[in-house]
Amino acid sequence: MAYVATRGGEHAIEQSERLYREELGQIDKARVEAIGESLPYLVDRVMGEASLYAPELAALALAQSGGDLYEAVLLLRAYRTTQPRLTIAEPVRQQELFTVRRISAAFKDIPGGQILGPTLDYSHRLLNVDVLNGTAFVPESVEAADQPAPATQPSLTVWQKAQGLIAETPAEDMRLDEIPDVTREPLLFPASRAHKLQSLARADTGGTLALGYSTMRGYGSVHPTVNELRLGEAEVRIRHPRGTLFSAGRARVSQSEVISKSKSLELGFSATFGWNEVKVIAAASLDLASNQPNPHPASNEEFILYHTEPVESSGFCIHFKLPHYVTFQSSLDALRRVKADKAANETSAPQDGAAKQAELEKAMP
């Protein structure tokens, strides 16, 4: 659909796109590389919401969209649909992640210990305005620990189950090729566990945070505690047609488990591509809240999954910019008819009253 009534028609539309591109300026490989190096967490967010782990392509999408996140996610999702799916990787276990950061707010001492990793959680948030005056900010070098932390860390949930704190839940017996894929199949309700977690993994960060925050503030039946938050790199292991298992590289991932403090300890879980802590904490809270009986509308599964879908929701929103001349004109015509009928009734009402009064007078003896 296009603005057919735009003065200049197709030529004007072409020039408007040129104006947009001209304001963005030249896009080259150096610019894409600069975005990837200077905005890694933004690149991670785009990859997570696009369901495609490709840092260079995510940086290109950001450059091409001028930093419009919804447009960048749309570009990356559209590209993903053009690529063949060659195989399915082996499952990734928590205890196999190359762990960079791992903390728990529920327990002080956990197996493997607390690993702060890269974070600003305990720092002052101050704007370094000296950079604008020409003083470059050079970060201080990290001091190596006397004894480095192990590359992998045990699963806190496994330890809790061994302590009898959390009930053991049977794992679904399913072949890799039987796992449902929300990028290829429509989301139906009630959603399967796989579809639900996949939808939360690629949900809009802002939308997930808004709904998750609402449940945390009391619009839900749970007030969660972070059981475990982990940032790491997952080994992508693929099985060759001949049967050999090999590594195709690593992907940055985030995962969070939140735990309820109600009568029984229940877990909410979320994981996504890239390092995005606020996303996985909020998503895990929504997972936990939506599992409760009679959830609040803000915690309802269908409400959450539909309204945190970034491409569909942003597309529906901006489609209102497109021409709606016919439907809007129809509404105006109906409104004019209602007003005309109302005015006609108001003018005829006194006349009808006088006629009735004259008839009554004639009928009187």
Side-chain angles (χ1 to χ4, degrees), residues 100-181:
V100 179
R101 170 169 162 78
R102 175 178 177 260
I103 61 170
S104 172
F107 298 90
K108 178 181 178 182
D109 298 315
I110 56 177
Q114 308 265 2
I115 301 175
L116 298 187
T119 183
L120 296 176
D121 283 353
Y122 318 101
S123 308
H124 294 295
R125 269 67 161 195
L126 299 175
L127 196 62
N128 192 348
V129 295
D130 292 338
V131 173
L132 301 179
N133 299 324
T135 303
F137 174 72
V138 181
E140 298 181 21
S141 300
V142 178
E143 298 178 5
D146 296 333
Q147 184 176 358
T152 58
Q153 296 291 331
S155 168
L156 181 58
T157 306
V158 172
W159 174 76
Q160 289 171 312
K161 290 178 179 178
Q163 299 290 318
L165 299 175
I166 298 176
E168 186 73 44
T169 54
E172 294 185 38
D173 186 14
M174 186 180 298
R175 299 200 317 266
L176 291 179
D177 57 353
E178 293 178 343
I179 298 175
D181 185 353

Side-chain angles (χ1 to χ4, degrees), residues 173-240:
D173 186 14
M174 186 180 298
R175 299 200 317 266
L176 291 179
D177 57 353
E178 293 178 343
I179 298 175
D181 185 353
V182 77
T183 66
R184 294 185 168 194
E185 303 168 7
L187 184 61
L188 302 176
F189 294 97
S192 67
R193 181 70 175 162
H195 273 172
K196 179 181 177 181
L197 293 181
Q198 289 172 33
S199 296
L200 287 173
R202 69 187 209 144
D204 175 54
T205 299
T208 305
L209 174 60
L211 292 181
Y213 183 46
S214 71
T215 65
M216 298 169 192
R217 289 191 61 246
Y219 287 92
S221 57
V222 296
H223 188 79
T225 299
V226 174
N227 193 54
E228 178 179 307
L229 172 68
R230 190 184 297 230
L231 303 182
E233 295 182 0
E235 200 83 40
V236 182
R237 297 175 302 158
I238 297 174
R239 190 170 297 278
H240 191 273

Side-chain angles (χ1 to χ4, degrees), residues 81-101:
T81 61
T82 66
Q83 301 305 299
R85 181 159 303 184
L86 303 178
T87 187
I88 300 175
E90 295 292 309
V92 177
R93 311 293 180 187
Q94 272 186 339
Q95 58 271 21
E96 298 171 353
L97 288 177
F98 180 82
T99 304
V100 179
R101 170 169 162 78

Side-chain angles (χ1 to χ4, degrees), residues 27 33-34 74 120 234 316:
I27 300 175
E33 290 176 349
L74 173 61
L120 296 176
F316 191 86

